[in-house]
């Protein structure tokens, strides 16, 4: 099943309120775990089903000093998260990103707000020249979002992940700041 087919059955109508983008912390574990267990969110990641709150809390607590984790909060509910990990050594000029949006809030600007915050941090605070990511080839909304922010496809990773009983290809995408 493609992402297009997994659009939420119940989409919020009209404009959403102001979204707060802030640093994630261990107390966000319950909200992030609940979101990560949603079928659409999980389908875009390498996460396994049934992620526990405790696993999520441990992941948040083990955050590397070279990583930044963000959450998007709307009316007190976590509706998205994103992370940036600066690479090391001869790749210190590069960062890897990952992100996801709550199934009921896709297409509402949450992904754009998170990605803008990640890019601002990379460009203006960390002097990261290259941002890179992988995205499943059937995740057309995410690919459009990344392209909107200047990411370009650099290659196709065949059988990148195993999801829902089948292997799925992914695109390697990157954005370079000149």
């Amino acid at each position: 099943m493609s992402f297009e087919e997994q659009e939420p059955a119940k989409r919020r109508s009209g404009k959403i309120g102001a979204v707060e983008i802030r640093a994630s912390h261990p107390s966000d574990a319950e909200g992030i775990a609940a979101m990560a267990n949603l079928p659409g969110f999980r389908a875009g990641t390498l996460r396994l089903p049934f992620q526990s709150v405790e696993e999520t809390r441990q992941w948040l607590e083990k955050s590397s000093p070279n990583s930044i984790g963000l959450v998007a909060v709307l009316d007190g509910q976590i509706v998205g998260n994103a992370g940036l990990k600066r690479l090391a050594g001869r790749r210190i000029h590069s960062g890897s990103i990952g992100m996801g949006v709550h199934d009921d809030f896709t297409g509402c600007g949450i992904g754009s707000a998170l990605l803008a915050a990640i890019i601002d941090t990379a460009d203006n605070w960390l002097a990261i020249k290259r941002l890179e990511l992988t995205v499943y080839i059937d995740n057309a909304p995410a690919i459009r979002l990344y392209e909107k922010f200047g990411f370009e496809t650099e290659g196709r990773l065949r059988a990148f992940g195993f999801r829902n009983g089948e292997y799925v290809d992914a695109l390697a995408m990157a954005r370079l700041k000149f």
Side-chain angles (χ1 to χ4, degrees):
M1 178 181 293
S2 75
F3 273 84
E4 306 277 316
E5 296 167 325
Q6 293 178 12
E7 288 297 315
K10 195 171 74 174
R11 177 76 48 104
R12 290 181 179 240
S13 59
K15 290 194 161 216
I16 62 170
V19 175
E20 175 192 5
I21 305 296
R22 63 164 174 78
S24 59
H25 40 78
S27 64
D28 295 326
E30 189 172 334
I32 293 172
M35 185 175 57
N37 284 312
L38 295 170
F41 185 100
R42 186 179 58 246
T45 72
L46 291 170
R47 296 174 190 255
L48 294 173
F50 313 113
Q51 184 171 344
S52 73
V53 173
E54 187 54 38
E55 288 170 311
T56 304
R57 187 178 333 285
Q58 289 174 6
W59 169 71
L60 289 166
E61 288 171 349
K62 289 185 206 171
S63 178
S64 159
N66 291 324
S67 296
I68 294 167
L70 302 177
V71 291
V73 181
L74 179 65
D75 298 329
Q77 178 184 357
I78 293 176
V79 294
N81 76 320
L84 165 64
K85 180 180 180 186
R86 179 178 218 134
L87 303 179
R90 294 176 60 193
R91 299 217 54 226
I92 199 161
H93 66 288
S94 301
S96 177
I97 67 170
M99 60 184 292
V101 174
H102 189 291
D103 289 11
D104 291 340
F105 295 90
T106 60
C108 296
I110 307 295
S112 289
L114 284 165
L115 191 53
I118 289 287
I119 289 172
D120 177 66
T121 303
D123 288 355
N124 298 314
W125 296 95
L126 298 173
I128 291 177
K129 180 175 182 73
R130 174 186 170 83
L131 283 177
E132 55 192 38
L133 59 88
T134 55
V135 58
Y136 287 122
I137 61 163
D138 61 354
N139 192 345
I143 294 167
R144 283 191 301 273
L145 172 68
Y146 300 138
E147 289 173 343
K148 178 175 115 178
F149 278 86
F151 284 81
E152 296 179 13
T153 299
E154 294 187 329
R156 183 178 183 131
L157 307 169
R158 296 181 312 156
F160 176 77
F162 190 72
R163 178 185 71 194
N164 201 25
E166 61 186 21
Y167 291 98
V168 184
D169 293 355
L171 297 178
M173 299 183 78
R175 173 191 176 272
L176 286 118
K177 182 180 178 193
F178 293 101

